[in-house]
């Protein structure tokens, strides 16, 4: 907090509103470690009776290690976790103290009460971390349990999910808790390479197979022997390579580009795609026999829009990571910033959220993350919703072709509830039509 030559008294009518506007829940503590004032938000969290002027801080907050913990909080400025002493549901919050000084004279501290959540085990939506993935969402937790079951088998797995939802993290988890965990894990993005190079990257090549092939190359299948191979965006593999991939899965052997002898490989395949393979099969872009080989166990990763309870906690976790090596300490989100984050469509999902938090951390200043700290697209006006098509006979809200459904979803930022409203139909009807169109 800035040093001031004329510090207002705790009774100043401007002090507490100013503190609340800047930092939210704040306790002012004197040199005797007694509370002298509290912002309304701090009173609401801790109880007005608990934070009466003159109450020792140790009777307001319970910190680990007792007196030593308070010393770490006040003297060393270390962020600690604290629980209110007031009776009621157990809560835990991040707490940090900022010294208040006038010149060289210490006046006391401003104790900032940061993010608060009920302790794990007291809620049905307690947080869970699973091999680099974090959630409070019941659907994600069910997915974690399925991953644990599937990892015990050798079945091929197809992970479906939008870009940025964490498909490679799921593949890593399947490998890490499987019997193949001591073997290699290899990943290749099938959409990132042209067909000629993709074939060589997958199956390897022999020296002289093509211009520039000055030595033998093993390819990802041989490099993953005894382990797991993750084929990201498998739906982008061209048809001419799909037949060769199918043969590898059936014979468990490969023939390198330019080679004649087959080479046995022992690899578990985990594939991923952001669009339904069934629709690709119907469009003639993907082989049905290969789809059935890859899609033995399908796993569906929910989008961040379908995990609204995870948005702000994940944002907080990303900020905590940034604070480890950065100068800024963000204590809270402003109400408007919270609303914008929670209502955003998140087409890039968790990856986009991480990038947005890095932008906000770098651009903003001070302990509060404001609306102005967010990227420009958060302040851009949203396009008006399209006029719903008139109702047709025997349909709820009128019929819509797949293109209209996709257009509404795009304009709604992937939010199905908003897309259904735009189309003048219920969310269930939208889901049924998406399923009929092969979009689910």
């Amino acid at each position: 907090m800035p040093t001031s030559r004329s510090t207002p008294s705790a009774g100043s009518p401007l002090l507490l509103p100013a503190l609340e506007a800047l930092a939210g829940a704040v306790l002012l503590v004197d040199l005797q470690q007694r509370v002298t004032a509290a912002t309304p938000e701090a009173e609401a969290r801790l109880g007005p009776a608990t934070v009466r002027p003159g109450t020792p801080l140790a009777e307001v907050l319970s910190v680990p290690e007792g007196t030593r913990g308070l010393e770490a909080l006040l003297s060393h400025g270390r962020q600690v976790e604290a629980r209110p002493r007031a009776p009621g549901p157990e809560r835990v919050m991040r707490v940090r103290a900022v010294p208040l000084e006038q010149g060289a004279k210490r006046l006391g501290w401003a104790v900032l009460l940061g993010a608060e959540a009920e302790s794990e085990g007291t809620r049905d939506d307690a947080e869970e971390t699973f091999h680099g993935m974090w959630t409070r969402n019941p659907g994600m937790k069910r997915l974690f349990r399925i991953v644990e079951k599937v990892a015990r088998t050798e079945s091929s797995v197809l992970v479906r999910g939008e870009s940025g939802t964490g498909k490679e993290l799921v593949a890593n988890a399947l490998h890490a808790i499987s019997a193949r965990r001591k073997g290699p894990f290899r990943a290749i993005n099938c959409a990132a390479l042209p067909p000629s190079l993709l074939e060589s990257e997958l199956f390897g090549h022999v020296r002289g197979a093509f211009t520039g092939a000055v030595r033998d190359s093993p390819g990802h299948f041989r490099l993953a022997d005894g382990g797991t191979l993750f084929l990201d965006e498998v739906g982008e593999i061209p048809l001419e390579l799909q037949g060769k991939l199918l043969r590898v899965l059936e014979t468990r052997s490969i023939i390198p580009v330019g080679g004649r002898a087959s080479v046995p490989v022992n690899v578990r395949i985990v594939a991923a795609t952001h669009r339904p393979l069934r629709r690709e099969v119907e469009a003639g872009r993907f082989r049905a026999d290969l789809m059935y080989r890859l899609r033995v166990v399908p796993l569906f990763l929910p989008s961040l829009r379908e995990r609204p309870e995870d948005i702000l906690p994940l944002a907080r976790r990303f900020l905590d990571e940034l604070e480890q090596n950065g100068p800024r300490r963000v204590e809270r989100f402003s109400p408007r910033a919270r609303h914008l984050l929670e209502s955003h469509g998140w087409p890039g999902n968790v990856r986009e959220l991480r990038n947005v938090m890095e932008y906000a951390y770098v651009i903003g200043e001070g302990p509060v993350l404001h609306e102005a700290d967010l990227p420009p697209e958060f302040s851009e006006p949203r396009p008006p919703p399209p006029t719903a098509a008139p109702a047709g006979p025997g349909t709820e809200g009128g019929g819509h072709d797949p293109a209209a459904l996709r257009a509404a979803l795009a304009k709604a930022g992937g939010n199905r509830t908003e897309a259904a409203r735009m189309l003048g139909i219920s969310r269930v009807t939208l889901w049924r039509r998406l399923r009929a169109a092969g979009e689910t």
Side-chain angles (χ1 to χ4, degrees):
M1 210 160 202
T3 300
S4 174
R5 290 291 180 185
S6 56
T7 306
S9 68
S12 168
L14 295 176
L15 179 62
L16 295 181
L19 277 177
E20 178 141 37
L22 291 171
V26 181
L27 299 175
L28 295 181
V29 178
D30 63 18
L31 292 176
Q32 286 71 46
Q33 299 185 8
R34 296 173 303 190
V35 174
T36 62
T39 63
E41 186 175 337
E43 288 187 351
R45 286 199 193 184
L46 303 172
T50 307
V51 292
R52 287 194 300 261
T55 305
L57 184 61
E59 295 180 13
V60 176
L61 296 174
S62 171
V63 300
E65 301 184 54
T67 303
R68 290 178 59 189
L70 279 179
E71 181 71 15
L73 170 67
L74 298 176
S75 299
H76 307 305
R78 187 183 307 161
Q79 180 173 280
V80 302
E81 290 190 348
R83 291 172 170 79
R85 293 282 192 185
E90 186 177 2
R91 303 186 303 276
V92 61
M93 62 189 76
R94 298 181 182 89
V95 178
R96 187 165 64 90
V98 177
L100 302 177
E101 298 173 345
Q102 190 172 50
K105 182 181 179 182
R106 173 70 59 83
L107 302 176
W109 296 269
V111 177
L112 312 179
L113 310 182
E116 178 181 313
E118 293 181 17
S119 61
E120 186 170 341
T122 64
R123 300 171 50 139
D124 293 335
D125 61 344
E127 66 183 52
E128 179 176 350
T129 301
F130 183 79
H131 295 272
M133 294 172 281
W134 182 98
T135 193
R136 286 178 178 163
N137 179 265
M140 280 292 287
K141 293 179 184 178
R142 286 193 294 271
L143 175 70
F144 296 163
R145 304 291 80 80
I146 294 172
V147 169
E148 290 173 336
K149 292 180 181 179
V150 178
R152 297 195 292 262
T153 74
E154 288 289 302
S155 301
S156 297
V157 177
L158 178 67
V159 186
R160 272 278 311 281
E162 296 178 8
S163 176
T165 51
K167 297 188 288 293
E168 187 165 351
L169 290 175
V170 171
N172 267 295
L174 282 165
H175 174 75
I177 56 180
S178 74
R180 294 175 173 268
R181 58 186 172 274
K182 293 184 180 179
F185 176 86
R186 304 288 299 186
I188 181 171
N189 188 330
C190 301
L193 299 169
S196 57
L197 185 55
L198 178 59
E199 181 178 6
S200 172
E201 286 292 307
L202 286 173
F203 311 127
H205 62 258
V206 299
R207 179 181 176 184
F210 49 83
T211 303
V214 296
R215 63 177 64 88
D216 290 355
S217 174
H220 278 73
F221 268 96
R222 291 174 67 182
L223 291 172
D225 191 51
T228 304
L229 177 59
F230 175 55
L231 302 177
D232 196 10
E233 297 300 346
V234 71
E236 303 298 325
I237 294 181
L239 277 170
E240 58 268 24
L241 281 187
Q242 291 176 26
K244 296 181 180 181
L245 177 58
L246 177 63
R247 179 169 177 78
V248 171
L249 297 179
E250 289 176 340
T251 65
R252 293 187 174 272
S253 63
I254 62 164
I255 299 179
V257 176
R260 295 184 178 180
S262 63
V263 180
V265 289
N266 175 20
V267 174
R268 183 189 190 170
I269 297 295
V270 178
T273 177
H274 71 283
R275 57 191 183 192
L277 286 188
R278 289 187 184 276
R279 193 180 73 199
E280 298 300 295
V281 170
E282 292 169 0
R285 294 188 292 263
F286 205 85
R287 296 178 58 126
D289 46 6
L290 178 57
M291 178 192 71
Y292 291 121
R293 278 282 184 178
L294 296 173
R295 197 181 181 275
V296 176
V297 180
L299 298 179
F300 298 88
L301 263 173
S303 66
L304 188 57
R305 297 180 302 279
E306 297 169 299
R307 303 161 48 190
E309 65 270 50
D310 284 353
I311 294 173
L312 290 179
L314 277 172
R316 179 66 259 177
R317 290 174 67 87
F318 295 148
L319 287 174
D320 289 344
E321 293 174 6
L322 292 165
E323 289 176 353
Q324 298 300 315
N325 298 310
R328 186 182 178 195
R329 296 292 179 269
V330 178
E331 300 294 339
R332 68 185 183 101
F333 302 98
S334 73
R336 179 62 178 161
R338 291 172 64 97
H339 171 74
L340 289 174
L341 291 170
E342 290 178 320
S343 62
H344 186 59
W346 297 113
N349 293 288
V350 178
R351 184 186 296 123
E352 181 188 4
L353 177 59
R354 181 188 294 273
N355 292 339
V356 166
M357 285 301 99
E358 184 169 358
Y359 177 96
Y361 182 81
V362 172
I363 295 298
E365 295 180 353
V368 181
L369 192 149
H370 292 284
E371 171 191 1
D373 300 343
L374 299 174
E377 58 264 26
F378 282 80
S379 57
E380 294 173 353
R382 294 185 179 181
T387 304
T395 63
E396 180 187 347
H400 300 91
D401 59 50
L405 299 177
R406 289 195 295 271
L409 277 171
K411 289 185 178 180
N415 186 314
R416 293 189 177 185
T417 301
E418 179 66 14
R421 187 189 68 77
M422 292 178 178
L423 295 168
I425 60 178
S426 70
R427 192 177 189 277
V428 174
T429 299
L430 175 63
W431 178 81
R432 287 173 180 162
R433 291 181 183 170
L434 289 170
R435 183 178 64 175
E439 297 282 344
T440 58

